[in-house]
Amino acid sequence: MKDLLIVEDDRALGEGIRLALQAPELRLQLCHTLAEAGALAARQPFDLLILDINLPDGNGLDFLRALRQEHAVPVILLTANDLETDIVAGLELGADDYITKPFSLAVLRARVHAQLRRGTPAQAERVEIDRFSFDFGRMEFQRDGQPVELSKTEQKLLRLLVENRGRTLTRAQLVDRIWTDGAAYVDENALSVTVKRLRDKLEEIPSKPRYIKTVYGLGYTWAVN
């Protein structure tokens, strides 16, 4: 499942984009102001941003500039301006693509899928990070060359954190993706217990984790140092 954030102040156009992009594998969020977008982006990660430049409470390029200080998520700019200076400014700030209004929704849809394909590299079964070696295919895990035994639940948590390192995954996202056996209810404490057990096995000082960081009020991240 991919999370897309659409920031467009024209409500009819924003809804048209949302409807055009609807697909089982996409979860779409639509915002009409930069304030809404900023609040939503702070609460949850997303995989692609469709960003209008001209918004009622500010310039989308300023939002892009701030975003690029923390995230490398693909960004497609929407603008009514086809001036070369606007296009160059957006690309220099880190936009991955742009499209000028009016535009074909079919063309936008094609560009969105192109960006998602580029942003979804095949996940390696074996990952080397600092002092760790994680082989998810063989279920072999090492710290400083010594084997570490992980439960299936701990392996699922570790893989999610490692494959999304540098991004915060919310507690709800982790619970949904780890406990996929159809259980009607999973006590959220189960996630806290799993995180603690994984830290105990991987962190040198579990009470002061270097890798598996808590993002208070949100969830957890594998820190990129």
Side-chain angles (χ1 to χ4, degrees):
M1 180 71 71
K2 296 291 184 181
D3 291 290
L4 272 65
L5 177 58
I6 304 164
V7 187
E8 169 57 62
D9 65 317
D10 184 320
R11 293 178 181 269
L13 177 57
E15 185 62 22
I17 293 172
R18 190 183 67 81
L19 291 173
L21 295 178
Q22 275 188 340
E25 69 276 12
L26 300 180
R27 184 165 39 227
L28 305 166
Q29 298 272 10
L30 174 60
C31 296
H32 302 296
T33 67
L34 291 176
E36 292 176 27
L40 184 61
R43 292 197 305 270
Q44 66 180 71
F46 51 94
D47 300 285
L48 186 141
L49 171 64
I50 299 174
L51 176 64
D52 189 15
I53 288 182
N54 299 304
L55 291 153
D57 58 342
N59 190 307
L61 294 180
D62 293 330
F63 185 84
L64 174 60
R65 183 182 292 106
L67 179 74
R68 277 292 176 257
Q69 294 177 5
E70 299 183 7
H71 301 288
V73 60
V75 176
I76 299 176
L77 293 178
L78 303 180
T79 176
N81 303 321
D82 59 359
L83 294 176
E84 184 177 290
T85 52
D86 293 324
I87 295 170
V88 170
L91 295 176
E92 287 184 343
L93 286 172
D96 299 272
D97 199 357
Y98 68 91
I99 188 166
T100 56
K101 302 175 184 178
F103 54 84
S104 161
L105 290 174
V107 170
L108 176 62
R109 184 165 55 242
R111 292 190 177 187
V112 164
H113 288 301
Q115 289 298 328
L116 289 175
R117 285 195 299 271
R118 291 173 192 165
T120 313
Q123 300 292 356
E125 289 295 298
R126 183 181 176 86
V127 180
E128 302 278 349
I129 304 176
D130 292 346
R131 60 199 298 189
F132 302 107
S133 173
F134 303 137
D135 191 327
F136 295 101
R138 296 186 177 186
M139 294 186 289
E140 295 176 353
F141 308 93
Q142 295 182 350
R143 187 184 88 170
D144 296 327
Q146 298 301 311
V148 177
E149 295 296 326
L150 299 180
S151 70
K152 291 292 182 65
T153 303
E154 291 161 359
Q155 290 178 37
K156 288 182 180 180
L157 173 60
L158 176 62
R159 186 161 196 164
L160 285 167
L161 292 173
V162 167
E163 289 181 350
N164 292 278
R165 51 191 178 274
R167 294 178 56 193
T168 299
L169 296 177
T170 67
R171 293 181 64 87
Q173 286 176 318
L174 290 169
V175 168
D176 287 345
R177 298 181 192 183
I178 293 172
W179 285 275
T180 56
D181 56 1
Y185 174 76
V186 176
D187 187 341
E188 199 170 282
N189 186 56
L191 176 60
S192 299
V193 171
T194 304
V195 169
K196 182 182 184 304
R197 288 176 177 169
L198 188 59
R199 280 175 173 160
D200 288 344
K201 294 177 180 180
L202 298 182
E203 298 280 4
E204 188 170 11
I205 306 176
S207 61
K208 297 181 180 179
R210 176 183 173 188
Y211 299 97
I212 305 171
K213 297 276 193 177
T214 299
V215 182
Y216 291 99
L218 289 176
Y220 302 95
T221 185
W222 184 283
V224 176
N225 298 312

